[in-house]
Amino acid sequence: MSYNPGITAAPVDSNPSFVEATYSKVTLRLLPLLFLCYVASYLDRVNVGFAKLEMLNDLKFSETVYGFGAGIFFLGYFLFEVPSNVILHKVGARIWIARIMITWGLISGATIFVTTPEMFYVMRFLLGVAEAGFFPGVILYLTYWYPSHRRGNITALFLTAVALSGVIGGLLSGWILHSMSDVYGLAGWQWIFILEAIPSLVLGLFIIFYLKDRIRDAHWLNEEEKQLLEAQVQSEAGQKQSVSMSQMLANPKVWLSAVIYFCFVMGLYGVGFWLPTIIKATGVKDPLNIGILSAIPYAAAAVAMVLVARSSDKHLERRWHVAISAFVGCAGLVLSTVYSHNTLLAMICLTVATMGTMATLPLFWSLPTSFLGGTAAAAGIALINSLGNLSGFVSPSLIGWLKDLTQSTNSGMFVLAACLLLGGLLTLTVPARLVNK
């Protein structure tokens, strides 16, 4: 990231109304596009959870095969996450994020050709390789535009895309399975992969012409606004550690952050990949009704994410907001097993679990972005995200194995609940002075 040497002309404590107007302008320009991109990303990542409702029967796959295939995505993601984010830092977000989205759209759409477990594994692995670097790249990109005291709310707004994709994905996937089966000779699960890949391809092409890599490149900002933004970002940059890759890897705070994130993502993908199956197990059979019901927890989670993040920014407190959210998610998952045979009560508990689990995510990123800067931030954020997302491999694989073993998802939900509890407790070990700002 380069900065204009004349930034001292715009002090960090500029007129508050001008500051707010400038940041509103930036947010309206950047966030809607990034938000839509993440909706498309998450949709293509977890739509296999709905495809599963028909795919397993058509292809004669076991629950274990599905769980391993759903999770192997994250091995490809893990292997290529750090180099992808470092490349983004070097070549710029515009070209690299566009490349990521176009390739993952093509691979996701090509999943319709899967006929064997081995082909399923390969396509899911390649999807992970293609998508590696997108999420941490956006988190890094936001640090180029916003200081830390603004990133909690901005990151929460961005991450509500996960919740919205759950709403859209549930309704859309349920409708596709209900209405598109055997259209032009294709199964409903194949139409899910075809139709839900289109937004990624369109948005990837749009990014090339719309996104700007740096504040200095933004033609839609005047000089005073550019200087203000650069001054605010640079004033914070001096407080971060701009360290070498080896120093970053030796930093215990990086590894603690990775473990905490691993625990939270266990809960996220446990819900994401298995929610349709859990709802079906309560007695709901029609795919359209399953889709409608699966949208409810995500809609509630979107509201919870924003409200919790705003509270955190207002009080400049991070740890307890993250920890309490994790504890709420833990309780919701446990209670969902207690009432697993009552659709209404199970849905209430799953909604609480989703709200708590997803509210942890935007505030979690206040930890590593508070102490990492420069190339260390690019590599550190990617390392934390890739290690954390290995839980995306462990979670569906473990639940699939446990479901085949016990003929129930309850034992898997207990494991996910324990992970959320551990993640919340570990968050409280992070020094408050480091992240409460």
Side-chain angles (χ1 to χ4, degrees):
M1 176 69 187
S2 301
Y3 297 101
N4 177 23
I7 59 173
T8 53
V12 176
D13 58 348
S14 294
N15 181 280
S17 61
F18 174 66
V19 173
E20 293 305 317
T22 302
Y23 276 106
S24 294
K25 188 175 183 179
V26 171
T27 299
L28 288 172
R29 176 76 185 192
L30 299 182
L31 203 60
L33 177 60
L34 296 175
F35 182 93
L36 289 174
C37 289
Y38 199 35
V39 168
S41 160
Y42 200 77
L43 193 62
D44 284 341
R45 185 184 303 184
V46 302
N47 57 11
V48 69
F50 265 93
K52 167 185 182 288
L53 297 176
E54 287 187 355
M55 188 179 185
L56 266 63
N57 184 61
D58 285 358
L59 302 181
K60 311 304 179 187
F61 290 174
S62 69
E63 297 283 352
T64 302
V65 168
Y66 164 74
F68 184 78
I72 202 172
F73 165 95
F74 295 96
L75 291 183
Y77 199 84
F78 169 75
L79 293 173
F80 289 87
E81 184 88 319
V82 173
S84 179
N85 218 36
V86 171
I87 292 172
L88 181 147
H89 184 65
K90 299 294 185 183
V91 307
R94 181 176 63 90
I95 294 298
W96 200 244
I97 290 178
R99 191 284 305 164
I100 289 172
M101 295 196 66
I102 292 169
T103 53
W104 97 49
L106 292 172
I107 292 170
S108 181
T111 307
I112 68 168
F113 299 110
V114 164
T115 57
T116 66
E118 293 75 19
M119 291 177 68
F120 182 47
Y121 300 155
V122 169
M123 295 307 295
R124 292 292 296 177
F125 179 82
L126 291 177
L127 187 65
V129 172
E131 193 177 327
F134 173 77
F135 175 76
V138 172
I139 295 297
L140 177 65
Y141 183 65
L142 293 176
T143 69
Y144 298 164
W145 296 83
Y146 297 93
S148 62
H149 69 276
R150 293 181 178 273
R151 283 201 302 273
N153 189 47
I154 292 300
T155 305
L157 289 171
F158 170 63
L159 285 176
T160 55
V162 176
L164 182 62
S165 68
V167 176
I168 295 173
L171 296 173
L172 179 60
S173 298
W175 176 82
I176 292 171
L177 287 179
H178 182 82
S179 305
M180 297 292 289
S181 184
D182 293 326
V183 175
Y184 294 112
L186 296 176
W189 64 267
Q190 292 175 307
W191 278 112
I192 285 178
F193 289 118
I194 293 172
L195 296 178
E196 294 181 6
I198 293 172
S200 296
L201 297 172
V202 173
L203 288 167
L205 293 172
F206 186 68
I207 280 174
I208 296 174
F209 303 100
Y210 187 86
L211 207 63
K212 298 299 179 185
D213 291 327
R214 303 178 300 172
I215 294 170
R216 187 51 39 188
D217 297 333
H219 62 82
W220 41 271
L221 294 171
N222 62 41
E223 185 60 29
E224 187 178 7
E225 290 167 337
K226 290 178 182 179
Q227 290 183 356
L228 167 70
L229 294 171
E230 289 173 328
Q232 293 228 341
V233 172
Q234 192 177 53
S235 69
E236 181 183 76
Q239 303 171 21
K240 297 181 180 180
Q241 304 171 23
S242 187
V243 297
S244 67
M245 285 285 289
S246 60
Q247 289 173 309
M248 182 272 295
L249 291 172
N251 189 334
K253 292 192 289 291
V254 171
W255 294 101
L256 175 61
S257 297
V259 172
I260 293 171
Y261 194 54
F262 182 95
C263 291
F264 293 159
V265 178
M266 279 286 287
L268 173 68
Y269 286 118
V271 172
F273 284 123
W274 290 92
L275 183 59
T277 300
I278 295 169
I279 293 173
K280 185 177 182 179
T282 68
V284 182
K285 302 303 180 184
D286 190 313
L288 183 59
N289 291 333
I290 293 173
I292 293 170
L293 288 175
S294 72
I296 295 172
Y298 288 109
V303 176
M305 291 169 75
V306 174
L307 292 180
V308 173
R310 286 182 177 175
S311 173
S312 178
D313 279 355
K314 178 181 178 180
H315 295 96
L316 295 179
E317 198 290 319
R318 309 297 184 189
R319 300 183 313 151
W320 280 103
H321 280 78
V322 173
I324 291 174
S325 297
F327 299 153
V328 169
C330 169
L333 286 176
V334 171
L335 291 173
S336 73
T337 66
V338 175
Y339 301 108
S340 60
H341 299 294
N342 184 309
T343 301
L344 176 60
L345 293 178
M347 283 303 305
I348 292 172
C349 295
L350 286 170
T351 298
V352 170
T354 307
M355 291 169 68
T357 301
M358 298 190 71
T360 64
L361 300 178
L363 295 181
F364 162 79
W365 289 105
S366 62
L367 276 67
T369 57
S370 68
F371 59 81
L372 291 172
T375 302
I381 292 170
L383 177 65
I384 292 164
N385 191 62
S386 60
L387 289 172
N389 272 288
L390 279 179
S391 62
F393 171 72
V394 175
S395 181
S397 299
L398 179 62
I399 295 176
W401 177 73
L402 288 172
K403 189 172 187 298
D404 274 339
L405 185 68
T406 66
Q407 300 304 306
S408 171
T409 57
N410 287 357
S411 55
M413 294 302 105
F414 287 129
V415 172
L416 301 181
C419 288
L420 289 172
L421 176 63
L422 177 61
L425 293 173
L426 289 175
T427 299
L428 296 178
T429 69
V430 179
R433 60 177 174 77
L434 184 65
V435 296
N436 290 345
K437 57 184 179 177

